[in-house]
Amino acid sequence: MADFDLVFRGRRVITRAGEVPRCIAVRDGVVVAIEPLESRLEGTETIDLADDEVLLPGLVDSHVHVNEPGRTEWEGFATATRAAAAGGVTTIIDMPLNSIPPTTTVDGLQVKRKAAQDTAHVDVGFWGGAIPGNIDDLRGLHDAGVFGFKCFMTDSGVDEFPPLSPEELEEYLGVLASYGAKMIVHAEDSTAIERAPAPHGRHYSDFLASRPRGSENVAIAHLIEAARHTGASVHLLHLSSSDAVPMLRTARREGIRMTVETCPHYLVFEAEAIADGATQFKCCPPIREIGNREELWAALSRGDIDCVVSDHSPCTAELKRLDVGEFDSAWGGISSLQIGLPAVWTEARLRGHTLVDVVRWMSQRPAEIARLQHKGRIERGYHADFAVFAPDDAFVVDPAHLHHRNPVTPYAERALAGVVRSTWLRGRRVTGDEPQGRLITRGGVE
């Protein structure tokens, strides 16, 4: 009998040692041995990788809006997780808003879990929500295993998830700090947005002017001071403004417990190239200018930005107002869960980065920030979550071939490098036919 359930053998495997030739052995869904390629470990199933394939740890996407229940016509757990698996993502953490009810009470969390149970193709965890009036619900959600709490500093776009005022933010941070919970924050300043020109019409430049960099910068400065005062652990969501990077660097140097993410669309697209009426590009905070994009890449290279996650926030085609192309009335959100890896890799390789860098940004660091156990690395004792990736293969994005519910994405017709050839969850190949994902909590698997 074979010693292991599954063995991968390949000349290119991303491990703690970098990109190296290795044999990876799996038993009971866990990596149990990592040996030199010449050791020739044998499994009940043995996969010999092609010379053009690299074995990556499954990606961890900690910023996904699944929207089910309540807005399932926008997205659902079955479609979102099938898209995730097709993109090499083996773990997602669902955001607490855009579903009805939002995940702001333990009862709301249980509704979410019921919707995801038995339909998920990858592992699914949940963020809780922090909104005015639910401060007494936070500890119950924390004890129920959410990975932390999301709040907004400006209008969220949905009535059932209002923002915290500056005073409420500080109060909530103080409570969360008392039991070590994390706050993840959408940082845009309401006053700065109110003072900016109102969005209108088909010109992307007019929409961009309505969400100025200053709206992010002011909100981030306030968040830093609130975190300094309370000692809370905070995570800054979807950084778009490169202007904020120096103060983020200073805050972290001073010991403020703060981590930072950005998203593929801020690293790929530039405002100058967005056509009139192209509302599929609308998101908040917005995609900014090419110079801003390059500064974000520099910050990611230096480690000032920790990770890259999708902020997959889909809606129906009707809500994107593609028929009229008016940015003021279109829903703001980018659909990209399935294509984040090739999108980032395409741009990263042009700037001299390696797959080791991409794995750190899109697997290792998101898992560490969310305090996910046994995820984000190919390492002994970790889950056998893998993506078989062909980095030199290429394709053109066809929305009809994407698995998320509504075939709308700004990546349509874009040529990308890198193809995910297979995805494995706990040593089993994810085919998209049989859901095999599990619900996970801060303490492990339910």
Side-chain angles (χ1 to χ4, degrees):
M1 294 180 63
D3 293 330
F4 307 104
D5 302 330
L6 174 68
V7 169
F8 273 94
R9 294 196 292 240
R11 298 184 180 280
R12 304 175 68 185
V13 180
I14 305 296
T15 72
R16 186 185 289 271
E19 184 181 305
V20 289
R22 287 292 185 267
C23 280
I24 308 296
V26 176
R27 187 184 296 121
D28 297 328
V30 174
V31 175
V32 293
I34 302 176
E35 300 291 341
L37 182 59
E38 57 269 21
S39 63
R40 307 298 293 179
L41 302 179
E42 294 293 338
T44 302
E45 182 178 8
T46 300
I47 307 292
D48 288 295
L49 297 179
D51 288 342
D52 68 337
E53 293 177 339
V54 185
L55 189 68
L56 314 181
L59 303 190
V60 174
D61 195 334
S62 57
H63 195 151
V64 179
H65 294 267
V66 177
N67 305 338
E68 186 177 20
R71 293 188 175 94
T72 309
E73 69 275 15
W74 296 17
E75 187 66 282
F77 284 101
T79 49
T81 57
R82 192 177 286 114
V89 177
T90 51
T91 304
I92 67 169
I93 308 184
D94 175 58
M95 284 291 163
L97 73 158
N98 296 348
S99 58
I100 301 173
T103 316
T104 53
T105 64
V106 172
D107 287 345
L109 174 63
Q110 296 306 333
V111 171
K112 272 285 191 78
R113 286 176 169 165
K114 185 177 180 180
Q117 189 76 49
D118 302 325
T119 64
H121 295 270
V122 302
D123 286 354
V124 177
F126 301 92
W127 297 107
I131 62 173
N134 86 323
I135 195 166
D136 293 334
D137 294 296
L138 303 183
R139 185 56 192 256
L141 283 162
H142 176 77
D143 292 345
V146 299
F147 287 88
F149 297 89
K150 180 175 186 177
C151 73
F152 277 74
M153 298 176 70
T154 192
D155 178 46
S156 72
V158 292
D159 293 340
E160 64 274 5
F161 207 96
L164 297 180
S165 69
E167 296 75 22
E168 287 169 327
L169 174 63
E170 196 156 311
E171 179 187 9
Y172 280 48
L173 287 177
V175 168
L176 296 182
S178 70
Y179 45 87
K182 184 186 297 288
M183 183 76 93
I184 65 174
V185 183
H186 181 126
E188 289 182 282
D189 181 72
S190 294
T191 301
I193 291 172
E194 289 168 2
R195 291 173 176 172
H200 63 281
R202 294 172 50 83
H203 298 310
Y204 183 79
S205 58
D206 292 332
F207 168 66
L208 182 60
S210 76
R211 312 289 289 216
R213 295 190 197 194
S215 65
E216 278 190 88
N217 302 339
V218 169
I220 291 169
H222 179 81
L223 176 62
I224 289 170
E225 292 311 305
R228 187 197 310 275
H229 177 67
T230 60
S233 175
V234 298
H235 177 71
L236 177 63
L237 298 168
H238 45 48
L239 177 66
S240 159
S241 170
S242 63
D243 293 349
V245 170
M247 62 177 162
L248 290 166
R249 185 187 310 127
T250 299
R252 294 182 354 158
R253 187 172 59 239
E254 292 174 350
I256 294 172
R257 296 193 295 160
M258 182 173 228
T259 50
V260 183
E261 72 181 38
T262 193
C263 304
H265 40 277
Y266 301 129
L267 299 171
V268 173
F269 301 118
E270 65 270 7
E272 295 90 337
I274 297 176
D276 289 352
T279 54
Q280 65 269 33
F281 288 87
K282 180 182 176 179
C283 58
C284 298
I287 295 162
R288 302 194 186 279
E289 302 85 354
I290 190 169
N292 182 88
R293 182 190 68 189
E294 296 310 309
E295 287 297 326
L296 290 179
W297 271 107
L300 188 61
S301 302
R302 292 191 303 264
D304 294 325
I305 298 172
D306 295 273
C307 63
V308 182
V309 292
S310 69
D311 190 10
H312 178 71
S313 185
C315 66
T316 63
E318 292 76 16
L319 287 173
K320 269 297 185 184
R321 302 302 307 276
L322 296 170
D323 54 340
V324 294
E326 293 179 349
F327 283 95
D328 54 331
S329 58
W331 175 259
I334 300 290
S335 297
S336 63
L337 182 55
Q338 186 171 334
I339 47 181
L341 173 57
V344 172
W345 171 239
T346 299
E347 298 296 318
R349 70 193 306 193
L350 295 176
R351 294 166 175 82
H353 295 292
T354 68
L355 281 172
V356 173
D357 298 322
V358 173
V359 163
R360 183 175 65 254
W361 300 330
M362 302 188 76
S363 188
Q364 178 185 336
R365 286 300 288 143
E368 291 170 348
I369 290 166
R371 293 176 286 187
L372 275 165
Q373 296 184 0
H374 313 301
K375 302 282 190 184
R377 299 173 184 261
I378 298 177
E379 194 166 307
R380 292 178 186 87
Y382 276 59
H383 293 167
D385 299 347
F386 308 127
V388 176
F389 187 59
D392 297 322
D393 207 346
F395 68 104
V396 175
V397 178
D398 179 353
H401 293 160
L402 302 178
H403 293 289
H404 63 260
R405 176 149 293 169
N406 294 283
V408 177
T409 179
Y411 291 93
E413 306 305 320
R414 193 175 186 92
L416 297 178
V419 172
V420 176
R421 292 187 176 163
S422 64
T423 300
W424 300 72
L425 182 65
R426 293 191 190 83
R428 293 179 59 196
R429 184 167 182 164
V430 183
T431 64
D433 297 324
E434 177 190 354
Q436 62 190 62
R438 301 182 189 177
L439 304 187
I440 57 176
T441 68
R442 199 180 60 261
V445 179
E446 286 193 345

